[in-house]
Amino acid sequence: MNKLLFAGIGVASVACFIACNQGQSNTNKQANTTPDAVAANVDTTANPKDDFFDYANGGWIKRNPIPSEYSSWGIGNLVQEELYKRLRIINEKAAENPSDPISKKIAAFWKSGMDSVRLNAAGIEPITGTLKEIDAVSNVQQLAQLASQLNVTAGGTCDISIGQDAKNSDAIMVQLGQGGLGLPNRDYYFNTDDRTTKIRQAYPGHVAKMLAFTGMDTATAQKAAASIVQLETLLAKSSRKLEALRDPEANYHKMPVAQLNKIAGNIDWAGFIKQQGISKFADTVIVGQPEFYTALSGAIKSQPLDTWKNYLKWIVIANAASQLSDTIANTQFAFYGKLLRGQDQQKPRWKRVLDAEEGAMGEALGQLFVKEFFNATAKKRYENLVEEIRAALKNRIEHLEWMSDSTKQKALYKLSKISKKVGYPDKWKDFSAMDIKDQSYYQNVVAAKHWWQNYEINKLGKPVDRSEWDMTPQTYNAYYNPSNNEIVLPAGIFTVPGKRDEELDDAVVYGYAGASTIGHEITHGFDDEGRQFDAAGNLKNWWTKEDIKKFNDRADVMVRQFNSYVVVDSLHINGKATLGENIADLGGILLGWEAFKKTEQYQKNEKIAGYTPAERYFMGYALGWLSHTKKESLARQVLTDVHSPAKFRVNGPFSDVDAFYEVYGLQPGNGMYRADSARVRIW
């Protein structure tokens, strides 16, 4: 899962992966001489029965070290590099000749972000007005009012969003979740392993360095930083763990604002919400973690006003750092990039500006992108593949031995109602009111945040727009949305870098796209979270008690399997936190395989580049996770991500797939062998 780049009002999106190299007609000669899409990556010194990931991808990994500005490197990066180049051309053309309203905004954003001379000369100046407002706060009421305002532009003590009511998908609600932490999540404040301890010990020093940019002397900044970390630790104690956040029922508490005032009485919640710009349709809210708000309310009373003021300064400069001078941005990167992720240096400025622009108005870029880089033939191929995968899951549900007929019928109905969005939206967002113009980079980013704030607020009291996309066509991602019961597959998601779509044989496509993307996302509708939503997208139980127990018993087998995998140092995968993604990976592989067996290529069984169609299917799936990652980033992923690291997204589910055993002849003693009784059997 990914979060939107901007704080304040937002929506959540579920992540997988994407690619893009469609619709080009001038690469035939090059394509005919490029290596085979999967055979070129093989490490022949590795045994596929012991470690299929290393076998299928190890040759490429050995030849392609991780660049210094990245913490990992793989197929996603290769695709993203193509995206960067194409989007840069779009921006540079817009800057040279901004001929329409969209290109004018793109040009203004691009120029403001690329003007490093202006940024370095301004230094801290873009946020000095906000810092003065914080200094002027003299009581708790003023503090709460300003904190609410800053929640839009800088994030803050809590996560306020606008989204569909999980139990009434036709309604849009104000929703409140835990937040307020400067470290990635609550475990960083308490875990005692060496790597996390080192990060936690370095954190106060980093906060002090950033506060020094606001005008504090060293001693004052260090004292302020210590109090900020103490405050965040207090909030972290009442924050839920990663796996606990995945229970939709346990994270749903609908209540009137008056009840929220009882839970967290030191905050005027009606006033706080109003300061967000929400003036109506907010008499009732959905609170994810009430205990966090009780702790927040207590901290407002127990912690000194100066601590809170310094905390606000910290979140303001932390969130603005990338739009300020190189000195400030580099200081922020030294902690969050180098120490937390293992990056040796920052991406070049032009890539960072494109990343920010994607979050600000990526769909505006997408309108220009799809005109050049996505064709109707490819769109049709993958729309058809979605239906083949749907048919495969229908067949598997019908033949499940452990599920009762009554639950099966509801599952089949939900499956039939899953909608698909492929490529790009039918209706584009209108960015005309976004105030992007010739002003500072910081001001342009803030203008985009305010636009998104208003965009989300305007949904309140209106019918849900189920045609809306939460990702842009050029995004390297995909998702299943349980509230809409839909899978969303952006335009670039299906292409292998350096290959046109028509050059890819079905075996690779069914593994790479059919299994790891389409099948994966459809299975999310029936994983441990998705299965709790009905066909209309409502959090509502449609299972018998007996079937729930049987599902959970089978899911527990997968939890135990992934708990046993050691990723780095002594850190194990969190099987409970990653369960939904692991179920989706396994389901995707099974569905892709079932669909692939009906193809002409599978039935002819002719080798390509020395490999059978069946082998190429599994190699195609592994291609989707072609990557390697630095230890620092792996450690962070284990603590903060609901996705298992790439190697285990291949070796883990393959160890549960009977067809994989048949194709590669696994026997007891092989590294990936699991006894039949220990294999996961869900969908």
Side-chain angles (χ1 to χ4, degrees):
M1 296 184 182
N2 287 339
K3 288 187 176 179
L4 295 179
L5 295 180
F6 292 143
I9 298 297
V11 293
S13 57
V14 181
C16 195
F17 78 95
I18 151 187
C20 73
N21 189 18
Q22 303 280 2
Q24 299 184 68
S25 59
N26 60 350
T27 57
N28 283 326
K29 183 176 181 181
Q30 177 186 358
N32 290 334
T33 60
T34 55
D36 182 77
V38 292
N41 303 322
V42 170
D43 180 359
T44 56
T45 67
N47 187 341
K49 303 177 184 181
D50 293 329
D51 188 329
F52 192 83
F53 179 88
D54 280 357
Y55 165 77
N57 296 328
W60 183 92
I61 290 172
K62 288 179 179 179
R63 297 189 300 271
N64 293 272
I66 301 172
S68 57
E69 67 265 34
Y70 290 91
S71 58
S72 63
W73 191 248
I75 192 164
N77 302 100
L78 299 180
V79 173
Q80 186 61 51
E81 289 301 301
E82 293 186 11
L83 281 169
Y84 276 139
K85 292 174 184 177
R86 291 171 177 176
L87 294 174
R88 182 174 187 171
I89 291 171
I90 290 172
N91 274 266
E92 289 176 340
K93 286 182 177 179
E96 291 174 5
N97 183 26
S99 57
D100 57 73
I102 290 179
S103 62
K104 287 179 181 178
K105 292 184 188 297
I106 290 172
F109 194 97
W110 174 256
K111 287 179 179 179
S112 68
M114 290 299 293
D115 192 349
S116 59
V117 173
R118 181 180 181 180
L119 286 164
N120 288 327
I124 200 77
E125 188 276 331
I127 64 170
T128 54
T130 303
L131 297 175
K132 288 178 181 178
E133 288 184 80
I134 296 172
D135 283 331
V137 168
S138 60
N139 55 57
V140 171
Q141 289 74 27
Q142 292 175 358
L143 175 76
Q145 182 177 359
L146 182 57
S148 180
Q149 294 170 359
L150 293 177
N151 206 66
V152 178
T153 58
T157 54
C158 58
D159 176 29
I160 301 181
S161 63
I162 303 291
Q164 286 167 272
D165 185 336
K167 295 190 176 183
N168 179 11
S169 63
D170 288 328
I172 299 291
M173 296 288 296
V174 177
Q175 310 199 27
L176 287 79
Q178 65 189 41
L181 307 182
L183 291 173
N185 70 11
R186 53 101 55 211
D187 288 345
Y188 277 82
Y189 294 84
F190 306 115
N191 284 12
T192 58
D193 62 279
D194 290 343
R195 193 178 296 276
T196 309
T197 300
K198 179 182 177 182
I199 291 169
R200 183 169 58 250
Q201 291 173 342
Y203 183 50
H206 170 67
V207 176
K209 289 178 183 178
M210 296 297 287
L211 289 175
F213 290 120
T214 70
M216 294 184 190
D217 60 54
T218 301
T220 303
Q222 290 175 344
K223 183 179 179 180
S227 65
I228 289 168
V229 175
Q230 182 183 22
L231 171 59
E232 290 184 5
T233 303
L234 184 64
L235 297 178
K237 286 180 181 178
S238 295
S239 298
R240 297 188 184 180
K241 287 179 171 287
L242 183 64
E243 58 269 30
L245 294 172
R246 294 193 61 256
D247 184 338
E249 188 68 52
N251 288 277
Y252 182 95
H253 305 87
K254 195 172 186 177
M255 62 184 69
V257 171
Q259 185 178 343
L260 182 57
N261 285 329
K262 294 179 181 179
I263 293 172
N266 293 319
I267 303 171
D268 173 14
W269 284 104
F272 190 90
I273 293 171
K274 186 175 181 180
Q275 286 294 327
Q276 297 281 307
I278 306 169
S279 57
K280 56 182 178 179
F281 307 113
D283 56 330
T284 301
V285 296
I286 296 173
V287 181
Q289 303 79 36
E291 69 278 10
F292 172 82
Y293 284 89
T294 301
L296 174 62
S297 177
I300 288 176
K301 187 174 182 179
S302 66
Q303 299 300 303
L305 184 62
D306 282 345
T307 294
W308 280 106
K309 290 168 69 173
N310 290 329
Y311 171 80
L312 292 183
K313 288 184 178 182
W314 156 236
I315 64 171
V316 167
I317 192 168
N319 280 275
S322 62
Q323 299 114 50
L324 302 176
S325 70
D326 286 336
T327 302
I328 297 172
N330 290 338
T331 302
Q332 184 80 332
F333 172 79
F335 182 80
Y336 287 100
K338 285 187 177 182
L339 185 60
L340 268 174
R341 297 179 180 274
Q343 295 168 255
D344 294 324
Q345 66 184 48
Q346 290 208 73
K347 295 178 185 178
R349 175 170 291 280
W350 67 272
K351 289 183 180 179
R352 286 180 277 145
V353 173
L354 287 177
D355 288 342
E357 190 177 50
E358 176 72 12
M361 50 178 175
E363 201 168 288
L365 284 170
Q367 294 180 52
L368 303 179
F369 176 83
V370 296
K371 289 179 181 178
E372 297 188 47
F373 302 119
F374 192 69
N375 63 31
T377 302
K379 180 180 173 72
K380 182 63 176 175
R381 180 181 194 180
Y382 294 107
E383 286 178 336
N384 291 342
L385 186 51
V386 170
E387 296 310 318
E388 293 179 39
I389 297 295
R390 192 197 306 264
L393 181 52
K394 179 177 183 291
N395 180 65
R396 293 190 71 87
I397 291 173
E398 288 172 341
H399 290 87
L400 285 177
E401 296 180 355
W402 60 268
M403 180 178 280
S404 68
D405 287 341
S406 62
T407 304
K408 276 185 183 180
Q409 293 308 309
K410 293 182 177 72
L412 290 169
Y413 179 69
K414 178 176 181 177
L415 175 64
S416 72
K417 292 299 182 180
I418 292 179
S419 62
K420 62 179 184 291
K421 295 176 179 176
V422 179
Y424 48 86
D426 295 325
K427 180 177 66 176
W428 298 97
K429 292 181 177 69
D430 179 5
F431 292 93
S432 59
M434 186 180 285
D435 192 25
I436 304 297
K437 58 189 178 184
D438 183 12
Q439 58 189 354
S440 74
Y441 186 32
Y442 173 77
Q443 288 173 306
N444 276 332
V445 170
V446 167
K449 291 177 179 180
H450 280 296
W451 185 92
W452 280 104
Q453 175 87 350
N454 293 330
Y455 177 82
E456 296 297 331
I457 289 172
N458 285 336
K459 294 178 180 179
L460 291 169
K462 298 177 181 177
V464 173
D465 180 4
R466 296 180 185 266
S467 69
E468 183 182 11
W469 284 50
D470 290 335
M471 286 183 180
T472 68
Q474 68 276 14
T475 302
Y476 191 80
N477 230 322
Y479 66 93
Y480 169 77
N481 178 358
S483 293
N484 282 348
N485 194 25
E486 65 180 2
I487 59 171
V488 183
L489 311 166
I493 199 167
F494 303 114
T495 302
V496 176
K499 296 290 184 180
R500 290 181 292 115
D501 185 73
E502 57 267 33
E503 296 176 285
L504 299 173
D505 59 298
D506 279 343
V508 170
V509 167
Y510 278 69
Y512 180 76
S516 63
T517 303
I518 300 172
H520 175 99
E521 299 304 340
I522 284 182
T523 305
H524 267 314
F526 304 90
D527 68 17
D528 62 313
E529 281 189 272
R531 71 162 191 83
Q532 298 183 58
F533 291 79
D534 65 14
N538 295 314
L539 181 57
K540 181 181 179 181
N541 182 39
W542 47 273
W543 294 61
T544 67
K545 290 183 179 179
E546 293 77 12
D547 288 338
I548 291 174
K549 184 181 186 305
K550 290 176 182 178
F551 178 94
N552 288 335
D553 288 344
R554 290 165 183 268
D556 285 343
V557 177
M558 178 164 271
V559 171
R560 292 192 294 271
Q561 175 185 345
F562 278 81
N563 278 342
S564 70
Y565 293 137
V566 179
V567 177
V568 62
D569 303 331
S570 60
L571 293 175
H572 288 244
I573 290 177
N574 185 333
K576 188 67 174 176
T578 58
L579 178 60
E581 297 299 330
N582 298 332
I583 290 174
D585 284 339
L586 175 58
I589 293 164
L590 295 172
L591 299 178
W593 175 254
E594 188 162 320
F596 175 58
K597 288 195 297 182
K598 296 180 179 180
T599 65
E600 182 180 359
Q601 182 184 7
Y602 175 83
Q603 292 166 6
K604 283 187 174 181
N605 198 31
E606 296 174 352
K607 290 185 177 182
I608 297 176
Y611 297 95
T612 67
E615 290 171 328
R616 291 178 67 81
Y617 170 80
F618 289 106
M619 294 165 75
Y621 175 85
L623 177 65
W625 308 113
L626 172 70
S627 65
H628 53 139
T629 304
K630 292 185 177 180
K631 289 183 177 180
E632 295 87 348
S633 190
L634 280 173
R636 181 181 184 278
Q637 182 176 356
V638 170
L639 294 178
T640 65
D641 200 338
V642 296
H643 301 82
S644 300
K647 175 191 281 281
F648 303 96
R649 299 191 72 170
V650 176
N651 292 351
F654 277 5
S655 295
D656 296 311
V657 176
D658 293 344
F660 178 76
Y661 285 71
E662 296 166 5
V663 171
Y664 287 94
L666 268 67
Q667 298 292 331
N670 293 138
M672 291 180 60
Y673 182 87
R674 296 178 68 82
D676 185 85
S677 60
R679 296 175 203 169
V680 180
R681 313 284 192 188
I682 302 179
W683 297 108

